[in-house]
Amino acid sequence: MTAKLIKGTEIREEILEEITAEVAEIKEKHGVIPGLVTILVGESPASISYVTLKIKTAHRVGFKEVQDSQSVDIPEDDLLALIDKYNNDDSINGILVQLPLPKHINEKKILNAIDPDKDVDGFHPVNVGRLMIGGDEVKFPPCTPAGIQEMIVRAGVETKGAEVVVVGRSNIVGKPIANMMLQKGVGANSTVTVVHTGTRDLAAHCKRADILIVAAGVPDLVKPEWIKPGACVIDVGVNRVGEKPSVKNPGKMVAVLKGDVDFDAAKEIAGSITPVPGGVGPMTITMLMKNTLKSLKFKLGI
Ligand code: NAP
């Protein structure tokens, strides 16, 4: 059997089109568009490329987008003042501070200064609490877990009553997706097990999973014999395992990426599976756009 591929690249296009249409409708009816600011401190090439992609996507869906670049030696107080400025700016619905920040700045202090109602990354303790309560309390689910849940739903996988096993318990992926899948509601209502390095028999838990979500950061951690035949496998891992010549830019090298699941063997057993790259990866920025649109809708009460 060859599994159905759940492609983040295709689902991203569907969602971005839905967002674009909704933005146009809100603009027509209410005369406003969502505003997203990305704050970049310093000039790390990786951070610049992430921010550029976020801004490009925001532009594509019709948002007001502001890129606020600050020097690497900005004092912490000045950065806090900048966040305060955007907290009070009515045209901005989402504030994103690109991480990591330079060492002299307390990252936690900065993230906690963002107005929870503009915290479209969903990392503020208020939003973590809202996610834990579930239901109508939830405002901004963190982007990668939100993308995972969206992929499961759009792939038509039954979640109600499903055994979900999550490998990994990080604050940005494992814990929030586990919490989301156990809530009562659409795309959830599952029985959830979370496994980690303290787990006695990882394989035994994985073998029970109707939906296996792997976010460990260990290439090929999950072996094909750990997968229940027909299961839905979501591979969140992105591991650089080497370099190869670029096809798009001859003469340049690009990273070879691998997930946490032995894909080639797993796809013969699973019912559906996400590839790496092109699986969960493209969903994160997509869900950032969705959260920013939601933020404006909350404000307008629609
Ligand atoms: P993390 O903070 O390093 O957490 C990894 C988790 O996996 C930890 O809870 C760890 O357990 C567990 N783990 C590691 N090795 C294990 C093993 N051998 N057996 C069982 N559990 C193990 O990583 P993360 O931030 O969640 O990211 C995980 C992966 O997803 C990375 O490859 C990352 O690049 C990728 N990622 C992708 C996206 C995206 O595509 N958009 C977004 C975020 C992350 P302990 O808690 O016991 O240490």
Side-chain angles (χ1 to χ4, degrees), residues 54-104:
K54 286 168 188 171
I55 287 294
K56 238 172 96 178
T57 311
H59 182 74
R60 175 185 158 179
V61 294
F63 288 3
K64 165 182 168 166
E65 84 313 300
V66 180
Q67 183 177 339
D68 194 327
S69 298
Q70 296 292 326
S71 127
V72 72
D73 52 12
I74 182 175
E76 189 177 272
D77 282 349
D78 289 6
L79 191 53
L80 286 168
L82 192 66
I83 288 171
D84 192 49
K85 181 184 106 174
Y86 289 118
N87 280 344
N88 291 297
D89 182 338
D90 261 358
S91 71
I92 294 296
N93 306 100
I95 302 172
L96 186 134
V97 179
Q98 186 63 44
L99 301 179
L101 290 170
K103 287 205 167 60
H104 68 280

Side-chain angles (χ1 to χ4, degrees), residues 144 168-170 172-173 196-197 202 215-218 221 236-239 281 284:
T144 302
R169 57 177 162 189
S170 72
I172 63 164
V173 189
H196 42 74
T197 57
L202 206 58
V218 180
L221 172 69
V236 191
V238 181
N239 306 292
T284 302

